[in-house]
Amino acid sequence: QGHSQALMSSEVHRSGDYSCVHPPYKVHLVSRSPLVMYLEGFLTAEERGHLQELANGQFQQSAVAGAAGAAAVHSVRTSQSTTVPRDALVRCIEDRAIALQGFNMPASHLEPIQLVRYGPAQHYHYHTDWFTDAAAHATAAQGGNRASSIFAYVRAAAAAAAASDTSKANASSLTGGGTNFPLLDVPLRDERWCRFVDCDDEYEHGVTFRPVEGNAIYWENLLPLEGRRTRGDQRTLHAGLPVVSGEKIGMNIWTREAPLPPSVRGE
Ligand SMILES: O=C(O)CCC(=O)C(=O)O
Ligand SMILES: [Fe+2]
């Protein structure tokens, strides 16, 4: 009796034998300005496994938005990426991203969830998630700019060995691959942070988050100007540092200022 009441009062969506049950993740404030929050346990092991299945065989060389407005494959981002189709589990993660941001933003503000994969030596050089070339990428018709980012660690492990491959190279666990925010001026002095951030890092280098499976970083990309105008916050500059060994898979959820056109958002 108590059990079924608990199920009824929490939000449970069913689709086939899948139920959307949000994990009780913990939020740790990293910075008030820019707003950065650390989300411990944002993705469950089931979700991480399912996301990797959806992406299996789909990864392609990542594109970077180029100055001419065309997506260009560029050495600043040597990882591979893919968007994932929106099934019941992916919708569950989207619901969580909306709830985190105050419930009242429609799902149409969310870009399709993107996964990004890095092998040894692969990295994403310093960039902002907000578009610096707003005229090309952030018009009202395109949903405006990227108001917030959620970056989660889906996989941080030894590379999945090919069945035929017994070499030791594939067996080494993930080293490197942190997410560095060089302009984030927040000395995280409590040693409890050291599970999540690189406490050995030089003070001048801002904050480097360790790739910890299931955990995520949330931050806001834009600062208000007068009226409804906004500008990008340069302090959100960040990089995916080079992976040294193993494999890293991350998940991006980008929230736009306004609804995306259905052609971008999908169903
Ligand atoms: O890989 C990382 O740690 C960061 C990735 C990133 O910033 C992005 O995909 O926009
Ligand atoms: Fe980024």
Side-chain angles (χ1 to χ4, degrees):
Q1 182 71 17
H3 178 67
S4 63
Q5 272 182 357
L7 274 181
M8 274 163 54
S9 59
S10 70
E11 221 187 317
V12 179
H13 307 290
R14 287 187 181 279
S15 163
D17 55 6
Y18 170 75
S19 317
C20 172
V21 181
H22 297 296
Y25 67 89
K26 293 183 187 168
V27 182
H28 307 288
L29 183 68
V30 176
S31 164
R32 285 191 174 81
S33 180
L35 182 61
V36 182
M37 297 190 292
Y38 192 81
L39 312 177
E40 181 183 0
F42 187 74
L43 295 178
T44 67
E46 179 193 14
E47 289 164 350
R48 294 190 294 103
H50 184 81
L51 288 170
Q52 289 175 70
E53 277 169 26
L54 290 178
N56 205 359
Q58 302 299 311
F59 282 110
Q60 299 195 343
Q61 193 59 43
S62 297
V64 167
V73 174
H74 211 280
S75 64
V76 299
R77 193 179 187 191
T78 57
S79 52
Q80 301 101 49
S81 59
T82 184
T83 56
V84 294
R86 192 175 292 116
D87 64 9
L89 183 143
V90 171
R91 281 182 202 280
C92 182
I93 297 169
E94 288 190 337
D95 284 350
R96 197 172 310 151
I98 291 167
L100 173 69
Q101 298 180 76
F103 298 112
N104 58 2
M105 174 256 299
S108 57
H109 289 218
L110 298 182
E111 291 186 37
I113 287 182
Q114 184 193 68
L115 295 192
V116 53
R117 182 177 71 185
Y118 306 76
Q122 294 183 335
H123 70 283
Y124 190 176
H125 199 71
Y126 289 97
H127 67 279
T128 60
D129 289 348
W130 51 273
F131 296 106
T132 49
D133 189 358
H137 303 284
T139 62
Q142 288 164 307
N145 217 323
R146 286 174 172 159
S148 71
S149 300
I150 295 174
F151 183 75
Y153 301 104
V154 173
R155 180 179 169 85
S164 59
D165 190 347
T166 53
S167 72
K168 285 200 291 282
N170 262 343
S172 48
S173 59
L174 179 69
T175 53
T179 308
N180 176 242
F181 288 74
L183 304 180
L184 217 50
D185 184 19
V186 282
L188 301 172
R189 299 204 191 281
D190 193 289
E191 70 179 25
R192 281 170 287 189
W193 275 115
C194 301
R195 287 183 292 152
F196 311 133
V197 306
D198 185 351
C199 289
D200 304 328
D201 211 13
E202 296 292 316
Y203 180 72
E204 294 93 322
H205 290 147
V207 176
T208 301
F209 295 96
R210 303 173 179 279
V212 180
E213 288 181 346
N215 294 358
I217 313 157
Y218 169 87
W219 68 94
E220 293 189 347
N221 288 308
L222 305 178
L223 290 166
L225 289 175
E226 69 286 350
R228 287 161 65 185
R229 293 173 53 230
T230 54
R231 67 180 171 93
D233 190 337
Q234 194 58 43
R235 298 170 300 174
T236 64
L237 190 76
H238 60 280
L241 299 178
V243 165
V244 176
S245 67
E247 182 183 37
K248 168 182 155 190
I249 297 178
M251 176 192 76
N252 283 303
I253 304 179
W254 287 304
T255 298
R256 295 290 188 127
E257 296 175 276
L260 283 156
S263 58
V264 177
R265 162 74 186 161
E267 289 187 12

